[in-house]
Amino acid sequence: MYRATVLLILLPLLTGAALAHSGVTNPKVMPRMHLMTDIKDTVAGLGAFAKGTQRFDADEAARLVDALAAQAAGVAAAFEDAAQDPKSEARPEIWSDWTGFTAEASKLEAAAQTMQTESRAEVQFGMRAVAKACYSCHEDYRLEN
Ligand code: HEC
């Protein structure tokens, strides 16, 4: 049952948005979208281990959580500039409530840092906090969650 839950949580996060940034004209908006896409790709790798669609590899899982922690640590810098674009899904609350926004990024970083990666079960468990952090931030700071 738990496996199905992970799948349900992750599916909407990992699909659909792939082309959301096409048509963006503001070059300052592009990097933050690319960072989010990188985050999505990293989490997709961990998700494949959690779901069992990829044979579990503890070294690769450890590498992925390190990458995720580094990506999460880069969120604040990527969003610092309140750049706008018609295609952007960033809510203005990011900049009017910067402390709240960066706290959400820190939650993702902490979820990545505390995730244990010795076994598939540990990755499954750790993915809960990661997925929660994605949703929690998107709910408040991203349009059309
Ligand atoms: C600190 C807040 C925050 C966290 C944490 C966060 N996101 Fe985002 N994410 C955003 C915002 C804001 C946008 C919209 C950016 C824009 O359109 O300018 C976004 C956009 C995206 C996009 C669309 C990118 C595009 O090309 O338009 C994807 C995919 C995404 N996030 C995946 C994730 C995943 C997966 C996680 C968790 C591992 C996550 N995000 C965690 C704030 C966050």
Side-chain angles (χ1 to χ4, degrees):
M1 189 191 100
Y2 180 62
R3 197 172 136 177
T5 311
V6 169
L7 195 75
L8 282 175
I9 289 173
L10 288 172
L11 220 58
L13 276 174
L14 304 180
T15 57
L19 290 174
H21 56 239
S22 64
V24 170
T25 49
N26 188 338
K28 286 184 172 169
V29 169
M30 238 10 214
R32 73 188 186 214
M33 287 181 164
H34 282 149
L35 175 62
M36 279 297 151
T37 308
D38 290 346
I39 287 177
K40 181 196 74 172
D41 291 344
T42 307
V43 169
L46 290 165
F49 287 146
K51 283 181 266 172
T53 50
Q54 180 78 35
R55 198 163 150 245
F56 186 70
D57 175 341
D59 289 341
E60 177 63 5
R63 194 192 66 75
L64 288 171
V65 288
D66 283 351
L68 182 59
Q71 287 160 348
V75 167
F79 281 86
E80 205 162 25
D81 193 322
Q84 303 294 323
D85 189 282
K87 292 272 179 181
S88 172
E89 295 172 337
R91 283 188 195 262
E93 284 78 5
I94 293 171
W95 300 284
S96 62
D97 177 26
W98 183 248
T99 312
F101 179 74
T102 52
E104 294 289 350
S106 299
K107 271 194 235 166
L108 177 60
E109 190 181 354
Q113 281 170 341
T114 54
M115 190 196 275
Q116 302 294 303
T117 52
E118 288 302 308
S119 69
R120 191 179 146 212
E122 285 179 341
V123 171
Q124 284 178 329
F125 181 78
M127 282 299 273
R128 274 199 287 195
V130 167
K132 240 171 101 177
C134 310
Y135 276 113
S136 172
C137 187
H138 287 178
E139 203 180 344
D140 290 344
Y141 300 102
R142 182 187 176 194
L143 299 165
E144 295 171 54
N145 184 31

